[in-house]
Amino acid sequence: MDIQTVLDRAEINDLLCKYSRGLDRVDEATLRSIYWDDAIEDRGPGLYIGNAQKWVDWTLGVLPVFAVTQHGLMNILIEVEGNVAWGETYFQAYHRFGRNQQQQAAAALLPADRTDIVWPEGDTEMILAGRYLDRFEKRGGVWKIAYRRMVNDWCRTQPVAEDWFRDNPTAYRSRKTLEDARAPTR
């Protein structure tokens, strides 16, 4: 592997990490910056297939429903061929919402005709896992996502258990802000 391929893969890896941070910190500028303006986001028929920038608009409308989200990435495989690269990235996406947000969550996450879904009593957590299948393009010396397909492997929905936070009330808690992504100063 030559040094340029190593550098390209590192830049693409940063894009993937920025995506997770953009979602979890509700950072519109970051989410928009990782996609080309003509990029396609493909979540499947009935969910969303279309322009990625419009998908960012939809996502920014949905994220406030959740009290907490956390998108973790693993098993990142990137194959670079010149100015095009393909990636397969495993993910786990955690979403938490309260009993008062259940109808909003259902409206945001489920097709309108799915009235058979019953959420757990009280606060709920949903964990979705799968893979992002990406095509990246390098234009003007910059890598961004040109096409993304999200393939889902499994999902679990269950009541929230917060025993650890109850037993450790002074533990730091995250916030859905960009400031929460900064390391403390010395």
Side-chain angles (χ1 to χ4, degrees):
M1 182 177 319
D2 64 15
I3 190 67
Q4 187 58 53
T5 301
V6 172
L7 293 171
D8 290 339
R9 289 174 71 184
E11 188 174 337
I12 291 167
N13 190 74
D14 283 353
L15 277 178
L16 295 167
C17 292
K18 287 177 182 177
Y19 172 78
S20 291
R21 176 195 262 179
L23 289 172
D24 295 334
R25 303 283 68 84
V26 192
D27 181 0
E28 178 178 0
T30 295
L31 286 173
R32 292 195 187 286
S33 74
I34 65 168
Y35 291 101
W36 290 112
D37 287 340
D38 60 347
I40 300 296
E41 182 76 23
D42 181 355
R43 299 289 169 127
L47 293 175
Y48 185 90
I49 301 174
N51 180 273
Q53 297 295 334
K54 290 181 181 176
W55 178 84
V56 170
D57 292 335
W58 178 85
T59 299
L60 292 170
V62 170
L63 286 172
V65 170
F66 304 109
V68 175
T69 63
Q70 187 177 68
H71 293 75
L73 306 175
M74 61 203 103
N75 297 356
I76 299 170
L77 299 172
I78 300 167
E79 183 180 325
V80 178
E81 289 185 18
N83 291 328
V84 178
W86 292 267
E88 178 184 37
T89 305
Y90 285 65
F91 73 86
Q92 285 188 11
Y94 177 89
H95 306 82
R96 175 184 294 182
F97 50 93
R99 72 180 77 216
N100 297 333
Q101 286 79 35
Q102 287 181 349
Q103 287 182 337
Q104 292 171 287
L109 298 172
L110 301 171
D113 62 348
R114 290 302 307 270
T115 58
D116 59 324
I117 304 297
V118 178
W119 299 109
E121 295 283 330
D123 291 354
T124 302
E125 55 189 12
M126 181 183 77
I127 305 165
L128 181 64
R131 293 168 289 129
Y132 299 124
L133 304 175
D134 295 315
R135 186 180 78 244
F136 305 94
E137 294 180 6
K138 187 177 186 179
R139 303 177 189 173
V142 176
W143 286 102
K144 292 188 182 187
I145 297 171
Y147 178 90
R148 165 167 280 179
R149 173 174 284 171
M150 186 176 86
V151 177
N152 301 292
D153 294 327
W154 60 269
C155 180
R156 180 174 67 221
T157 305
Q158 62 193 24
V160 170
E162 289 207 317
D163 298 344
W164 189 86
F165 285 117
R166 183 197 64 228
D167 297 341
N168 297 280
T170 60
Y172 292 119
R173 298 292 297 264
S174 69
R175 297 182 313 272
K176 290 171 57 173
T177 66
L178 191 54
E179 290 76 29
D180 193 54
R182 305 272 188 263
T185 57
R186 294 181 193 219

